[in-house]
Structures are given as C-alpha cells and as structure tokens.
C-alpha cells in the first residue's frame, strides 16, 4: 500500500522537482518505507512506498524495459501471478517480483483498456513517454482513492489524497458550497465530487486519459445484472463458500506479516474461518478492540469466534479518553470532512494491529453486496408503512415521538425515529434519510449557501441511473455500491489504516467474487426475512450459531452520550453562535437549537451534531 502524486503540464514546461517532492511528502504516512520521483519533460510522477511484495526490489516509479512507459501505483493486484505468466509467454521480461511491473507490460499490450483485466485494489498513473499520454485508473469498487484537478494553466494534477494536490501551486484551496451541502446530506463526499472547488475524485471502475492537453474519463467495467436463473440455493451457498475461500487465498499473498480484523460479526468471522481452511488456525493472528461502554463493546463475540476457530487472538480495550484524544489528529489526516464516527475505532484497531502485522484482511463489502444492513429490512417495512392510512401514520409518528430519549447504541427509540425520517419517502431517498444526518429541507434551514444545489433531487437522479429495470433490492444495493461503499466505508478504512501505515484488504470485493454475487437472484441475498442470507447459510457449519444469529451492530462509539458529557465543552466551543456568525456558513440559531435540545435530553441530535462538529474540526485544520 502506498501513496501516489504527480502532474503533467499542458504547455510543455518542464516539471518542477520541488513541487513534486512537496506533493509526494504529504503522503509519507501512506508509504513510510521509501519514496521516489520520476520527471520527464512536462510530467512528474511521485511515490511513497509501504513495502508488501518484493520488499527489496519493488521501488517506484517503475518503468518497462526501455524506459518508455512509467507507472506510480497504490494497491495490490491479486491475479498478478496469472498475469505475469501470460506476459512472460509473450516475451516481456521482468526485473522484480513486484506486481507493479506487470502494469507497464499490460499497458504495452492493451493500451488504456488494461485495467479491465486486473483483479485488485488500485489507484495508478501511467506515463507513456512516446505518446506524451498520462493514464489514471482506479479499481472497480473504489478501494483505493484517486483525486485530480485541472489548473487554470491547463495542467492536470493528481494524488491519493487532496492534501497532495493542495501542495501544487495551481490548485485552489477553496471550499465548494455545493460540496458542503452534499457533506451534510451524506456525512461524506460522494464521488466524483469533493469539498474542494475544482477538485474531483476519479470514480471507481474509470480511466482518465490525458492527451494533447485534454482529459477524457470513461468507465471500463460495469456490474453484471442478476442472471435469469441460478442453481438451487443450497448448491449456490456451497459454491459461494468455495469461491470466497479462493478469494481469501488470493488476498493473503504477502511478503510481510498478515492478520485479520475480527469484530465478531458474520463478515469478518467468515474471513477468519475461510483463512483457517487454508492454513493452520494457530498461525492466524486476529485483532479486535473493545470499549468500556457495554452497548458498544463487541469484544466478547470476537473472542468467541477466535476460540471456535483456534486463532492467535489479540485484544485491547479502550477508554473514552483514548478515543477522544484522536479528534485533533483525525482532522489532520482527513483532508475532507467525514461524519462517520466509526473512523475513530477503525483507526484504533488499525494502530493496534500495526504493532504486529503490516497487512490485515477485513470484512468490508459484504453488507453492500449481500444486503446486510438493517436498512434493507426497513425498506420492506416502509412499503407496508406507506400503505397505511395517513391518520394511522400520523398516530404512529406521534407515539414514537413520545418515546423517551435513550442514548445507547442503536436503542429502540433511535431506530424507530430514524425509520420514520425516511419511511414515507421514495426508496432511494428513504435509505439516505436512514443513513444520513440532514434532509434536504434541514440543509436549507441550517446552511446559508448551498450553491443552488437541490441535493435530494441530485441523489434521486443518481439512483435512477443505476441498474435500470432491475428488481428493487438490486437497485438499492447498486446505490450503496455507488455511494456509501466507496465514499464512506472504503474511504474510512483507507484513511484510518493508512494513517498508521497498515494495508487493509477486502476479500469480499475480489473481482471474480463480486461478479458472481451480482449475478445471483435478490432472494439469495435478502430472503425469508434474513439479511445476508447466502453468506449465513454458507458459514453455518463453520461459525458458532450465536454469531450467525446476532443482529447487525455498527462499529461505533457513544457519540450521543459524549456530546452531553466529555465532548460537550468542545461542541459548545466549535458550534458557538458567535463563531458560526463569523464563519458565515451556518445559521447560528438553528445550530443552537439542536445543541440545546440534545444537551437537555429532549431530542437525540447525535448524528447532525457530530457531522457539524467534524466539519468544524476539519475547517480549522484546512481552511483557517
């Protein structure tokens, strides 16, 4: 795992080594093991390396045999052994054992279309010197980040994180008001948008080609539609496990120590179980963390899985103070505002695991591919709710509104009130209301300038463009795969792990496995009232029944309580009316109302207040 940065000048001016070095140095946390620069006329390619494969010989940027094609690459290519064998048979020669070297040869054979043959997580840039062409590409599901911007002078600038681009003198450090509206709606920035004016994310499964001073962006892969027929469910479950185990096998390739994140949920437990079928369980290092608040602590379940499988398990319990101490640090390495509070425990887990390993396998992607979130149950329930007479819906809303506020993790009143926020809306909007902090109307009430953006209309248009003609569940899953997975879940894991130089891999997002899952009928994913039906059936003989029966529980922290307790002084300071008035972005009276209601215990505003607090911490670090 690494960090990449670079630029190409439109007017042909020689690349400035000092600028490239400054851009690359901002990514040192992503690649603590080495750095490299390559300059060729107008282009500069920078690299920071975390050594995983061919530790001694994999330095980047790297070229082909004659130095005509160069690459800077962040990621892992899981089908590299097969690709390398094919390239060798065609006469290509290799100087290293690193998967990076295959990329330049694949480009020589396939041109800009080469990413379609890759099974991996990656963000990369290739410079074709004879054609004076720059290629940017990002993996199918968006596991690795890649930002780019075109400067007023016509240069193209790119990097793994916004901070690398901001080190280039042609990139503006200006807040985009439309980006702020999107952040309030999603709690993150959905691609291709960013919080920075003029800066974009290259979408997953896309290639950007810069040639003759002009950039074009095109998709190289699209998710297959569900097949018209499928083998019987039981047969499919067995085949799925065989394929999943093979994917885990591909993801365990490493020349440095490897472990497994183990939360005690079905997804990470399945990764550990599959790995235990490939190597002795006693050799598998599993890592989990716990919290002193029992409603947020899952360490007991992780221990149960580790005992069942016989892994070498490592666990650490954290206090509220150790989590809150991270807040200033998080604002530094999150160079876009990010409102998912689970980034904090994810970083603590990454930092803990990094003490023993350099690579970790995780369970990310299963929920978005196999319908694992409670929102998919809520989607079914909302259909029934919308069929109720209006009077009955009003009575239900009034009854839920009278429930006393309970600040425990996923308490009944929180779930019911959150459900009602979206239950009467179109399905795509309902899901976002359940996940997010602010509705479109609430953004209008709290934000002084949204740049003229109707964020809910934009969201619905985006949803309408995905999986047209498919069944409702497939369309909902595609929306999660298009927004929540790459820009919340995978962004969180990438930033939280890269901040301490740990590589995290997601076997559920293996390219072959994803294609297989996408072709399955919707009823195999959510059926008979069961989320992740296929995975739970496949894992039934391999994991304790208590793990399979557990309700979904997010990897969270007690935000609601902390905002009334130890975090209240920070919230009061960051969201103070006079501060907000000087800042000129939010209506102070609307923010003050939410702060007062939450502190008094009459309303639970944990999500919007946390989203605002994280924005203010980010703002102070990057814009003040």
């Amino acid at each position: 795992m690494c960090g990449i940065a670079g630029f190409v000048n439109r007017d042909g001016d020689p690349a400035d080594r000092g600028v490239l070095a400054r851009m690359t140095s901002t990514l040192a946390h992503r690649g603590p093991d080495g750095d490299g620069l390559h300059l060729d006329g107008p282009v500069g390619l920078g690299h920071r390396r975390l050594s995983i494969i061919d530790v001694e010989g994999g330095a980047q940027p790297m070229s082909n045999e004659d130095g005509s094609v160069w690459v800077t690459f962040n990621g892992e290519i899981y089908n590299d052994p097969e690709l390398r064998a094919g390239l060798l048979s065609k006469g290509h020669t290799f100087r290293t054992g690193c998967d990076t070297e295959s990329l330049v040869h694949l480009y020589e054979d396939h041109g800009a279309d080469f990413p379609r043959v890759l099974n991996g997580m990656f963000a990369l840039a290739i410079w074709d010197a004879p054609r004076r062409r720059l290629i940017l590409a990002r993996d199918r599901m968006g596991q690795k980040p890649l930002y780019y911007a075109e400067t007023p002078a016509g240069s193209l600038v790119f990097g793994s994180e916004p901070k690398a681009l901001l080190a280039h003198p042609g990139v503006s450090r200006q807040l985009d008001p439309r980006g702020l509206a999107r952040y309030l709606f999603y709690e993150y920035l959905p691609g291709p948008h960013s919080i920075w004016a003029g800066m974009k994310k290259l979408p997953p499964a896309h290639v950007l080609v810069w040639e003759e001073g002009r950039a074009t962006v095109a998709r190289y892969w699209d998710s297959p539609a569900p097949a018209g027929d499928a083998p019987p469910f039981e047969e499919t479950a067995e085949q799925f496990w065989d394929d999943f185990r093979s994917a885990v096998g591909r993801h365990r390739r490493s020349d440095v120590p490897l472990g497994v994140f183990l939360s005690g949920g079905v997804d990470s437990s399945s990764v550990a179980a599959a790995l235990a079928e490939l190597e002795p369980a006693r050799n598998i290092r599993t890592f989990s963390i716990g919290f002193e608040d029992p409603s947020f602590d899952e360490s007991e379940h992780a221990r149960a899985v580790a005992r069942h499988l016989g892994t070498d398990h490592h666990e650490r319990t954290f206090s509220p103070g150790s989590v809150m101490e991270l807040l200033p640090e998080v604002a530094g390495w999150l160079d876009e505002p990010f409102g998912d509070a689970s980034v904090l425990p994810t970083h603590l887990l990454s930092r803990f695991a990094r003490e023993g390993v350099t690579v970790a396998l995780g369970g990310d992607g299963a929920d978005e591919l196999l319908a694992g979130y409670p929102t998919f149950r809520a989607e079914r329930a909302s259909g029934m709710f919308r069929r109720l007479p209006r009077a009955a819906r009003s009575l239900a809303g009034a009854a839920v509104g009278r429930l006393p506020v309970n600040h425990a993790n996923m308490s009944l009143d929180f779930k019911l009130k959150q459900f009602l926020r979206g239950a009467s809306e179109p399905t795509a909007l309902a899901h976002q209301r359940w996940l997010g902090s602010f509705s479109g109307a609430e953004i209008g009430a709290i934000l002084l300038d949204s740049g003229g953006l109707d964020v809910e209309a934009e969201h619905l248009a985006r949803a309408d463009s995905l999986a047209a003609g498919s069944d409702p569940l497939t369309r909902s899953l595609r929306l999660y795969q298009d927004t929540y997975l790459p820009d919340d879940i995978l962004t969180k894991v990438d930033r939280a792990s890269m901040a301490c130089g740990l590589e995290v891999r997601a076997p559920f997002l293996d390219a072959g496995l994803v294609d297989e899952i996408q072709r399955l009928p919707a009823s195999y994913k959510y059926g008979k009232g069961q989320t992740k039906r296929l995975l739970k059936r496949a894992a039934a003989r391999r994991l304790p029944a208590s793990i399979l029966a557990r309700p979904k529980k997010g990897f969270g922290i007690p935000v609601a309580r902390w905002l009334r307790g130890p975090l209240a002084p920070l919230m009061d300071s960051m969201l103070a009316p006079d501060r907000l008035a000087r800042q000129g972005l939010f209506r102070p009276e609307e923010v003050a109302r939410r702060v007062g209601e939450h502190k008094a215990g009459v309303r639970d505003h944990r999500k919007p207040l946390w989203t605002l607090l994280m924005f203010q911490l980010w703002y102070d670090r990057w814009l003040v």
Side-chain angles (χ1 to χ4, degrees):
M1 199 56 57
C2 308
I4 67 172
F7 56 88
V8 58
N9 294 327
R10 179 179 183 176
D11 55 13
D13 286 348
D16 186 318
R17 176 177 288 271
V19 170
L20 181 61
R22 286 194 295 274
M23 292 176 64
T24 305
S25 68
T26 67
L27 304 173
H29 57 286
R30 299 184 69 92
D33 297 332
D35 64 338
L37 305 176
H38 172 71
L39 293 96
D40 177 17
V43 74
L45 304 179
H47 190 263
R48 291 292 314 200
R49 188 181 186 211
L50 177 64
S51 303
I52 304 294
I53 302 294
D54 190 1
V55 173
E56 297 300 324
Q60 296 186 48
M62 186 180 290
S63 73
N64 62 348
E65 301 94 330
D66 64 6
S68 62
V69 178
W70 286 80
V71 64
T72 182
F73 163 64
N74 166 30
E76 300 292 342
I77 306 302
Y78 304 121
N79 62 336
D80 180 63
E82 297 83 4
L83 293 172
R84 179 177 292 247
L87 291 164
L88 286 168
S89 71
K90 292 179 179 180
H92 291 281
T93 60
F94 285 78
R95 299 185 298 272
T96 74
C98 187
D99 52 358
T100 306
E101 195 169 2
S102 294
L103 300 173
V104 291
H105 299 313
L106 288 168
Y107 173 77
E108 289 178 299
D109 283 3
H110 300 284
D113 200 39
F114 78 97
R116 70 171 59 247
V117 306
L118 301 178
N119 180 359
M121 57 177 182
F122 57 85
L124 59 88
I126 282 184
W127 173 242
D128 182 337
R131 292 181 176 86
R132 317 308 278 173
R133 172 198 286 176
L134 183 73
I135 307 291
L136 304 181
R138 193 172 174 210
D139 65 72
R140 292 181 176 192
M141 306 305 289
Q143 295 181 70
K144 292 294 101 186
L146 189 54
Y147 293 77
Y148 70 96
E150 295 184 69
T151 71
S155 298
L156 181 76
V157 186
F158 66 88
S160 295
E161 299 177 11
K163 58 176 66 70
L165 282 75
L166 295 173
H168 188 285
V171 176
S172 169
R173 189 182 288 254
Q174 182 178 350
L175 176 73
D176 180 0
R178 295 163 68 91
L180 177 54
R182 294 183 182 106
Y183 167 70
L184 295 179
F185 185 64
Y186 290 98
E187 302 177 3
Y188 55 86
L189 274 299
H193 313 291
S194 85
I195 196 68
W196 301 102
M199 191 183 300
K200 295 181 180 179
K201 300 173 185 174
L202 185 65
H206 278 69
V207 167
L208 182 152
V209 178
W210 188 95
E211 201 166 13
E212 298 181 353
R214 183 167 164 269
T216 58
V217 178
R219 176 179 284 276
Y220 67 81
W221 172 85
D222 205 354
S223 182
D229 56 357
F233 179 73
E234 295 293 331
E235 180 183 333
T236 299
E238 286 304 308
Q239 182 61 53
F240 169 80
W241 187 264
D242 290 343
D243 294 339
F244 175 61
R245 183 176 56 228
S246 296
V248 171
R250 286 188 288 273
H251 282 61
R252 70 172 176 160
R253 179 172 176 252
S254 173
D255 294 337
V256 293
L258 177 144
V260 178
F261 284 172
L262 186 60
S263 70
V266 176
D267 308 338
S268 64
S269 299
S270 294
V271 172
L275 189 57
E277 294 180 2
L278 296 169
E279 59 184 83
R282 64 180 178 276
N283 296 340
I284 300 172
R285 283 178 279 190
T286 53
F287 298 87
S288 68
I289 60 173
F291 299 100
E292 294 175 354
D293 186 322
S295 73
F296 287 82
D297 184 44
E298 297 190 285
S299 57
E300 174 187 350
H301 306 291
R303 285 195 298 272
V305 174
R307 285 194 302 268
H308 179 82
L309 297 175
T311 65
D312 177 17
H313 190 57
H314 305 264
E315 177 186 312
R316 185 173 293 171
T317 299
F318 290 92
S319 66
S322 62
V323 180
M324 287 184 287
E325 286 172 1
L326 286 176
L327 283 173
E329 179 184 340
V330 168
W333 45 260
L334 282 177
D335 40 16
E336 287 195 301
F338 191 76
D340 185 342
S342 65
V343 70
L344 298 175
T346 302
H347 178 64
L348 289 173
L349 175 59
S350 298
R351 201 159 66 181
F352 173 44
R354 187 64 176 89
E355 295 174 10
V357 300
T358 311
V359 179
L361 305 184
D364 300 302
D367 288 317
E368 294 82 7
L369 290 166
L370 291 162
Y373 292 119
T375 49
F376 296 108
R377 281 200 176 99
E379 179 180 328
R380 303 290 175 93
S382 68
M384 294 184 286
F385 182 81
R386 285 194 294 267
R387 289 193 290 272
L388 292 174
R390 180 173 297 179
R393 282 182 279 161
S394 297
L395 285 172
V400 169
R402 288 193 294 271
L403 290 174
V405 172
N406 184 338
H407 289 145
N409 187 24
M410 297 301 287
S411 61
L412 177 62
D413 83 292
F414 175 79
K415 289 190 289 187
L416 289 175
K417 291 170 184 175
Q418 199 71 2
F419 171 75
L420 289 178
R421 282 176 55 81
S424 298
E425 302 294 339
T427 300
L429 189 55
H431 276 275
Q432 190 51 46
R433 289 277 184 88
W434 295 328
L435 292 172
S437 293
F438 292 92
S439 68
E442 289 165 340
I443 291 170
I446 203 169
L447 194 60
L448 289 170
D449 177 16
S450 64
L453 176 66
D454 183 339
V455 69
E456 291 194 343
E458 181 181 73
H459 179 76
L460 288 171
R462 183 172 191 148
D464 286 345
S465 71
L466 300 169
S470 296
D471 60 273
L473 179 63
T474 295
R475 300 200 70 187
S476 293
L477 286 169
R478 294 293 168 80
L479 183 58
Y480 276 69
Q481 294 158 22
D482 190 59
T483 54
Y484 191 66
L485 176 62
D487 295 314
D488 185 304
I489 300 300
L490 297 178
T491 294
K492 171 188 67 181
V493 173
D494 175 82
R495 301 301 195 280
S497 60
M498 283 285 88
C500 57
L502 179 76
E503 173 173 300
V504 179
R505 302 175 180 175
F508 281 105
L509 298 180
D510 179 88
L513 189 67
V514 167
D515 283 348
E516 174 193 334
I517 292 172
Q518 301 291 59
R519 293 189 182 99
L520 293 175
S523 62
Y524 284 18
K525 301 165 188 176
Y526 182 104
K528 299 186 176 181
Q530 187 178 52
T531 57
K532 281 187 289 203
R533 182 185 175 212
L534 182 73
L535 176 60
K536 290 175 180 177
R537 183 65 189 90
R541 293 187 291 101
R542 298 167 172 96
L543 294 174
S546 60
I547 298 300
L548 298 173
R550 284 186 61 211
K552 177 72 177 176
K553 192 173 185 179
F555 193 28
I557 56 175
V559 168
R561 289 177 180 165
W562 288 1
L563 290 174
R564 297 184 70 203
L567 276 179
L570 178 64
M571 176 177 66
D572 289 342
S573 171
M574 287 290 181
L575 301 182
D578 58 342
R579 171 192 164 94
L580 296 182
R582 290 192 305 271
Q583 188 182 46
L585 297 174
F586 304 101
R587 290 186 172 87
E589 67 279 5
E590 181 63 22
V591 177
R593 178 184 65 80
R594 290 175 178 271
V595 170
E597 289 178 349
H598 187 85
K599 290 173 71 175
V602 297
R603 294 283 189 277
D604 186 347
H605 292 303
R606 68 178 83 176
K607 287 174 71 65
L609 290 178
W610 180 264
T611 297
L612 290 169
L613 177 61
M614 291 303 292
F615 175 82
Q616 296 295 352
L617 289 168
W618 170 84
Y619 184 92
D620 275 7
R621 170 61 180 81
W622 292 98
L623 285 175
V624 172

